[in-house]
């Protein structure tokens, strides 16, 4: 295992030449650092024609968006590569391909996806990808079913829970989703226009009780190997393709967390659209988002049911009707986690462009208030929203 050092652009080119497995590796001559996320260095490795051929991603020993004052485990790079490899085994069509990884250097080489676009950016421009939600549902069903107790041998599953133990990254989620927004914390970030709404959330003991239950399930419910941070900035789309990247938050957790995070990011776009586009385009985009959410859930639940009917290995879990019962619990969890994503992306440390890039201040605050109201409604009403149609009805009524 190599000793850790931070790669320069020249190092990244050299590294890709050696380890990407390209037959014309000597044509790689340049690197462009394009990391715009919160955590890592990301280099596109270019050939002499300026074409990006592979991506070299390296974990920094601290949180990039905060600085060296917040040290962070390098083991996340191993977890990321191994999560993507596990997910790629069960859903290669929607998982970024890992070409090489080295735990000592905390580095990974992955396929280049420059011909695709980040879904969050496309959604902000009102560009619709009618296949994307169904493809994401398919990815979630295949990866989560095959890493769950429905499919894995109980010994293998328990060993995998250990291999994917990811305490420092989980703590980020535990703090940023479930703790910081519900009390006064330095990492929270919001404009004074939200003061009253935030004070109301933070003094709502019923809400905090429901969030405590969601956090407890996140801490204890090792149902499947989650992506752990499946937001629209971690998803590349093209007309007929979708690929998921960035799995450094991977761990064995509640399936509803991945589903809820994904739906939550579609709803963040729903809340931001009136501030991002003109009225007719925003109305169209909102209808498309609701359709996306319905299709995501139908694709996920439909595929999960089929896999459960055909491939469940545990004799008790194969009992007729059990998969349906389980999916009902996943749905309820997902709505709650979706609510926490809406709230933490509005007032916590890590925001989203869907809300923050709304330039008109009054409109931005309106969109942010909407996200908070919808988030709270979802957390509180999750057990009473029976299905996707009932969810749409609640959202249309204004959350
Ligand atoms: C300190 S990391 C902040 C956020 O960025 C990541 O993408 C995760 O969503 C995390 O919560
Ligand atoms: Mg990420």
């Amino acid at each position: 295992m190599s000793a850790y050092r931070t790669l320069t652009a020249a190092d990244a080119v050299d590294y890709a030449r050696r380890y990407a497995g390209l037959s014309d590796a000597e044509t790689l001559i340049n690197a462009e650092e394009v990391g715009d996320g919160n955590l890592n260095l990301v280099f596109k490795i270019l050939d002499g024609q300026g074409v990006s051929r592979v991506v070299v991603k390296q974990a920094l020993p601290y949180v990039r968006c905060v600085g060296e004052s917040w040290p962070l485990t390098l083991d996340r790079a191993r977890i990321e590569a191994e999560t993507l490899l596990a997910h790629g085994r069960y859903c290669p069509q929607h998982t970024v391909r890992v070409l090489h990884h080295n735990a000592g250097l905390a580095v990974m080489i992955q396929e280049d996806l420059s011909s695709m676009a980040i879904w969050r950016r496309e959604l902000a421009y009102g560009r619709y990808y009618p296949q994307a939600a169904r493809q994401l549902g398919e990815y979630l069903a295949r990866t989560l079913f095959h890493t769950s107790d429905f499919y894995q041998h109980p010994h293998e599953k328990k060993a995998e829970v250990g291999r994917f133990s990811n305490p420092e990254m989980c703590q980020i989620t535990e703090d940023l989703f479930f703790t910081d927004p519900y009390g006064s914390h330095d990492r929270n970030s919001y404009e004074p226009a939200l003061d009253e709404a935030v004070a109301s959330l933070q003094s709502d003991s019923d809400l905090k009780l429901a969030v405590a239950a969601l956090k407890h399930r996140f801490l204890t419910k090792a149902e499947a190997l989650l992506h752990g941070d499946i937001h629209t900035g971690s998803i590349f789309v093209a007309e007929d393709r979708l690929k998921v990247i960035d799995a450094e938050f991977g761990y064995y957790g509640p399936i509803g967390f991945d589903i809820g995070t994904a739906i939550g990011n579609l709803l963040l776009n729903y809340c931001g659209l009136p501030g991002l586009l003109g009225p007719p385009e925003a109305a169209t985009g909102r209808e498309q988002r609701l359709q996306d959410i319905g299709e995501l859930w139908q694709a996920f639940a439909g595929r999960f049911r089929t896999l459960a009917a055909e491939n469940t290995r545990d004799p008790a879990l194969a009992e007729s009707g059990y998969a349906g019962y389980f999916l009902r619990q996943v749905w309820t969890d997902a709505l709650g986690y979706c609510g926490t994503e809406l709230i933490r992306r509005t007032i916590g440390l890590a925001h989203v462009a869907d809300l923050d890039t709304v330039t008109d201040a009054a409109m931005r605050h309106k969109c942010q208030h909407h996200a908070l109201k919808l988030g709270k409604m979802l957390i509180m009403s999750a057990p009473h929203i029976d299905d996707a149609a009932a969810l749409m009805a609640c959202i249309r009524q204004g959350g």
Side-chain angles (χ1 to χ4, degrees):
M1 201 159 68
S2 319
Y4 183 80
R5 68 181 197 287
T6 304
L7 299 181
T8 63
D11 294 334
V13 174
D14 185 49
Y15 199 82
R17 281 184 170 207
R18 285 203 215 182
Y19 298 113
L22 297 181
S23 54
D24 59 349
E26 72 288 348
T27 64
L28 303 176
I29 57 165
N30 229 332
E32 195 185 335
E33 209 278 308
V34 295
D36 63 353
N38 293 322
L39 300 174
N40 305 300
L41 284 176
V42 182
F43 296 98
K44 283 187 173 187
I45 310 297
L46 313 172
D47 66 17
Q49 271 71 52
V51 175
S52 177
R53 298 289 304 282
V54 291
V55 168
V56 172
K57 177 171 178 179
Q58 186 180 39
L60 291 166
Y62 52 87
V63 176
R64 184 177 185 174
C65 67
V66 173
E68 296 185 34
S69 62
W70 187 347
L72 192 58
T73 176
L74 292 173
D75 190 44
R76 70 185 193 271
R78 175 192 67 81
I79 296 265
E80 172 168 19
E82 293 185 2
T83 301
L84 291 171
L85 288 168
H87 284 185
R89 182 167 167 208
Y90 298 115
C91 194
Q93 64 275 37
H94 299 311
T95 308
V96 68
R97 200 148 51 87
V98 176
L99 305 173
H100 161 91
H101 70 105
N102 178 311
L105 272 173
V107 78
M108 174 173 76
I109 306 179
Q110 64 186 36
E111 70 175 309
D112 178 79
L113 298 173
S114 300
S115 63
M116 304 175 77
I118 295 280
W119 200 10
R120 191 187 301 288
R121 289 189 200 144
E122 297 298 283
L123 291 171
Y125 285 119
R127 296 188 194 125
Y128 185 38
Y129 290 80
Q131 314 279 345
R134 182 189 55 73
Q135 291 168 329
L136 181 55
E138 186 78 23
Y139 162 82
L140 290 165
R142 289 185 182 278
T143 57
L144 297 171
F145 172 82
H146 286 105
T147 57
S148 76
D149 288 290
F150 282 87
Y151 184 76
Q152 290 191 324
H153 185 281
H155 294 185
E156 183 198 4
K157 157 82 187 321
K158 287 169 182 72
E160 290 291 87
V161 170
R163 182 161 74 102
F164 288 100
S165 166
N166 198 359
E168 284 191 40
M169 302 305 282
C170 283
Q171 196 191 336
I172 291 178
T173 302
E174 289 150 20
D175 291 343
L176 299 191
F177 270 74
F178 308 114
T179 301
D180 294 3
Y182 304 94
S184 151
H185 198 288
D186 287 349
R187 283 186 297 232
N188 288 339
S189 159
Y190 51 88
E191 295 172 74
L194 266 65
D195 279 352
E196 211 176 298
V198 172
S200 160
L201 280 183
Q202 293 180 346
S203 61
D204 186 332
S205 47
D206 291 336
L207 178 68
K208 294 206 280 188
L209 206 58
V211 171
L214 288 162
K215 180 171 186 176
H216 201 186
R217 293 205 285 283
F218 184 87
L219 287 161
T220 55
K221 224 179 185 186
E223 288 178 340
L225 176 59
L226 308 189
H227 176 282
D229 191 26
I230 184 83
H231 57 79
T232 48
S234 294
I235 299 170
F236 276 87
V237 288
E239 200 181 328
D240 54 355
R241 290 194 301 145
L242 176 142
K243 286 259 182 174
V244 169
I245 61 166
D246 271 7
E248 64 254 60
F249 286 82
Y251 90 113
Y252 270 77
I255 289 178
F257 182 80
D258 266 3
I259 313 293
T261 306
I263 295 177
N265 278 270
L266 295 172
L267 285 179
L268 284 160
N269 178 259
Y270 180 93
C271 292
L273 276 176
L276 296 170
L277 302 176
E281 293 84 6
T284 304
R286 283 184 144 193
E287 278 311 307
Q288 290 165 346
R289 269 333 60 71
L290 294 186
Q291 200 171 315
D292 283 342
I293 290 166
E295 283 172 8
L296 190 163
W297 175 256
Q298 295 312 336
F300 166 75
R303 177 63 64 198
F304 198 99
R305 266 177 210 278
T306 304
L307 290 168
E310 293 173 358
N311 296 331
T312 297
R313 290 173 170 169
D314 183 284
L317 302 194
E319 181 66 21
S320 164
Y322 181 67
Y325 169 85
F326 175 74
L327 284 168
R328 171 67 214 222
Q329 293 179 331
V330 169
W331 170 252
T332 305
D333 274 358
L335 295 179
Y337 288 121
C338 175
T340 60
E341 175 71 341
L342 285 166
I343 291 174
R344 73 107 179 189
R345 292 295 195 182
T346 309
I347 63 173
L349 171 76
H351 285 214
V352 288
D354 310 63
L355 297 176
D356 280 21
T357 60
V358 174
T359 47
D360 178 80
M363 177 56 96
R364 185 171 61 252
H365 301 147
K366 193 171 170 200
C367 297
Q368 290 168 333
H369 276 109
H370 186 188
L372 292 180
K373 186 173 167 209
L374 191 51
K376 178 179 165 181
M377 183 281 287
L378 288 168
I379 294 169
M380 297 309 295
S381 306
H384 313 294
I385 301 175
D386 287 336
D387 52 26
L391 174 64
M392 312 284 160
C394 290
I395 296 168
R396 284 205 172 92
Q397 280 160 22

